[in-house]
Amino acid sequence: MQKLMSKKKPTYPITEALSSYLTKYARNIKIPIYYDDLLRYQGAVTVYDKHGNDTLWIQVYYSESEREDIEQSLKQMYSILHSDGSDALLPYLNIDSIDYCTFGNSKPFRIKVRNILNDNYIFLYIKKADASRIYGLELEHLLSPNHINFLVHGNTLIEEHISGIPGDDFITHHLEHCSEQDKREIAKEFVKFNERCFVRLLGDMRSYNYVMVLTNDFDRIQYRIRAIDFDQQSYEGNVKVYRPQFLKENNAFVQLVASELKQPSVKQYKREERSLLAKRATSEKKRLRQLIVCMRKDEISQPEKIKELKNALLDLTGDINFKKSKNMGQILDSALHFIVRNYQSVNPFLR
């Protein structure tokens, strides 16, 4: 079986140009804590899920001398991410837990922040800042139906929690109980999600790297798939990595599409998603162009992967711009130009 992805992806530093972009759009912050500070925990206990399975997360704790400063800084992070950054709400916040994930590239910390007045809580995630991941987050914000809230502090990335049912959990515990109408709706959403990831070159969307978001809408449930891991933005050379349909963890959804949707419907949904991407790229043209300029000057992959991907996309589209591309930023730029040229609305009723 062909190996789709590299075993380990390197971390790419944030360039000065990307840092300036983040500052311009209020993504850069200053507070006295870094990812590495959280690594100085004194001990940990394993976190299990409701079924008694090891979640690969551990709950960590710190020495008394460090705990107070760490928790105060984490409360400030919450205030900047979700409010106006003032200290007014800090007395009403409590850090209930700090969990550390031992699995995957990003090895994030998950912080549970609770409002002590009403017991409502929210999670935020702290990871090592990686240029690939930041490009992925920004592209998700600009090109998907979802807004993304995140902050950068030096080599530290702070992300808000994205609510939903993890894809692998949904497949295991919920999919078989869905009605036929729901299954058709899920199949449609997977086709659109597959196309969205491919066009914007977001890779490694295995079932545990996205969530299912369910919304009640009159007499039905609306389903949406949201990516939650952006580590593999424009890195791999194998074009199949950017299509969730080729990842074995998504086989249940691939089979659902095959059984629930006819080929004309699949083509229709692909075209719909490409047209929506073209519209978003056009409406966010100024900011997207500034991001792409940073990406075109950056090196976030390896020469052999760049060559493999651009040749595959050239063969697929016949677009000579892919052949001219020299890095991943230029490849993505070519892909977005291709979509805008070919799928931007030509509706005769629009002025």
Side-chain angles (χ1 to χ4, degrees):
M1 184 177 176
Q2 184 183 14
K3 184 180 178 182
L4 293 185
M5 284 174 286
S6 308
K7 189 172 183 181
K8 180 73 173 175
K9 174 191 160 295
T11 298
Y12 290 97
I14 298 171
T15 63
E16 186 175 334
L18 180 56
S19 182
S20 296
Y21 170 92
L22 295 170
T23 299
K24 180 175 183 178
Y25 291 102
R27 299 292 201 189
N28 263 332
I29 61 166
K30 296 179 181 178
I31 62 167
I33 191 170
Y34 291 90
Y35 174 90
D36 290 345
D37 295 328
L38 295 178
L39 291 173
R40 299 200 303 266
Y41 54 86
Q42 297 295 301
V45 294
T46 301
V47 177
Y48 297 95
D49 65 16
K50 63 182 180 181
H51 305 290
N53 301 314
D54 187 347
T55 61
L56 302 179
W57 289 82
I58 56 174
Q59 184 171 320
V60 301
Y61 54 88
Y62 299 85
S63 65
E64 197 64 32
S65 60
E66 289 192 296
R67 184 176 59 82
E68 187 174 341
D69 287 342
I70 287 174
E71 290 188 356
Q72 187 70 9
S73 294
L74 293 174
K75 292 176 187 178
Q76 287 179 324
M77 275 189 179
Y78 172 90
S79 178
I80 297 168
L81 191 65
H82 291 286
S83 187
D84 60 1
S86 72
D87 294 344
L89 55 77
L90 300 191
Y92 309 111
L93 301 177
N94 189 69
I95 305 300
D96 275 10
S97 63
I98 302 175
D99 299 335
Y100 177 58
C101 183
T102 57
F103 175 74
N105 280 331
S106 61
K107 291 186 166 52
F109 284 92
R110 180 177 62 198
I111 317 300
K112 183 179 181 181
V113 185
R114 178 171 55 88
N115 185 313
I116 62 176
L117 297 179
N118 53 35
D119 274 348
N120 285 333
Y121 64 87
I122 198 167
F123 292 102
L124 57 89
Y125 295 83
I126 298 177
K127 306 175 181 180
K128 279 191 174 180
D130 171 43
S132 301
R133 193 172 295 119
I134 290 171
Y135 286 125
L137 287 162
E138 271 294 300
L139 288 164
E140 179 76 2
H141 183 75
L142 297 173
L143 295 176
S144 84
N146 313 301
H147 288 294
I148 295 286
N149 197 10
F150 72 93
L151 299 167
V152 178
H153 173 51
N155 67 345
T156 300
L157 174 65
I158 305 104
E159 296 179 30
E160 71 175 352
H161 176 66
I162 298 174
S163 299
I165 303 172
D168 53 347
D169 183 79
F170 185 86
I171 289 170
T172 302
H173 299 110
H174 301 273
L175 184 57
E176 65 177 326
H177 303 298
C178 292
S179 67
E180 286 304 309
Q181 179 59 45
D182 285 347
K183 288 179 179 178
R184 287 192 291 272
E185 182 75 21
I186 294 166
K188 169 188 172 181
E189 176 58 24
F190 184 75
V191 170
K192 293 170 81 71
F193 177 68
N194 187 75
E195 202 63 21
R196 192 157 64 242
C197 292
F198 175 53
V199 170
R200 50 154 297 192
L201 298 181
L202 176 62
D204 193 20
M205 281 298 106
R206 285 175 281 188
S207 56
Y208 48 77
N209 286 333
Y210 57 79
V211 294
M212 300 292 298
V213 181
L214 282 59
T215 306
N216 286 303
D217 181 23
F218 293 104
D219 59 347
R220 69 186 184 114
I221 296 176
Q222 186 180 53
Y223 293 85
R224 176 174 290 173
I225 302 176
R226 287 195 64 177
I228 59 172
D229 191 320
F230 302 91
D231 184 57
Q232 291 282 346
Q233 174 66 49
S234 304
Y235 173 71
E236 292 290 352
N238 191 327
V239 72
K240 290 184 177 180
V241 170
Y242 303 104
R243 283 183 158 165
Q245 71 184 84
F246 291 112
L247 303 174
K248 67 180 188 300
E249 291 83 358
N250 298 323
N251 282 347
F253 285 154
V254 174
Q255 292 166 10
L256 195 66
V257 172
S259 63
E260 298 294 335
L261 300 180
K262 296 184 183 299
Q263 198 57 35
S265 293
V266 172
K267 290 181 179 179
Q268 173 199 337
Y269 296 141
K270 285 184 177 182
R271 186 173 186 85
E272 283 181 10
E273 193 59 35
R274 291 190 175 200
S275 296
L276 286 171
L277 280 161
K279 288 177 182 177
R280 294 185 193 114
T282 302
S283 65
E284 294 286 355
K285 186 176 182 179
K286 182 179 178 181
R287 182 167 174 175
L288 181 61
R289 173 49 42 191
Q290 292 171 353
L291 181 68
I292 294 296
V293 166
C294 295
M295 203 171 176
R296 284 174 64 93
K297 297 176 182 177
D298 213 339
E299 292 298 331
I300 53 172
S301 188
Q302 299 163 2
E304 64 274 13
K305 296 181 184 297
I306 294 166
K307 182 178 179 181
E308 180 184 4
L309 182 61
K310 76 175 187 178
N311 287 338
L313 292 173
L314 174 64
D315 291 343
L316 191 64
T317 64
D319 188 341
I320 196 68
N321 288 320
F322 287 112
K323 186 177 181 179
K324 297 176 182 177
S325 300
K326 302 200 180 300
N327 60 30
M328 284 297 185
Q330 293 178 20
I331 291 175
L332 179 62
D333 196 13
S334 298
L336 294 177
H337 273 113
F338 178 85
I339 290 298
V340 171
R341 280 199 316 272
N342 291 281
Y343 293 92
Q344 194 171 22
S345 175
V346 290
N347 191 327
F349 297 99
L350 291 177
R351 292 187 177 182

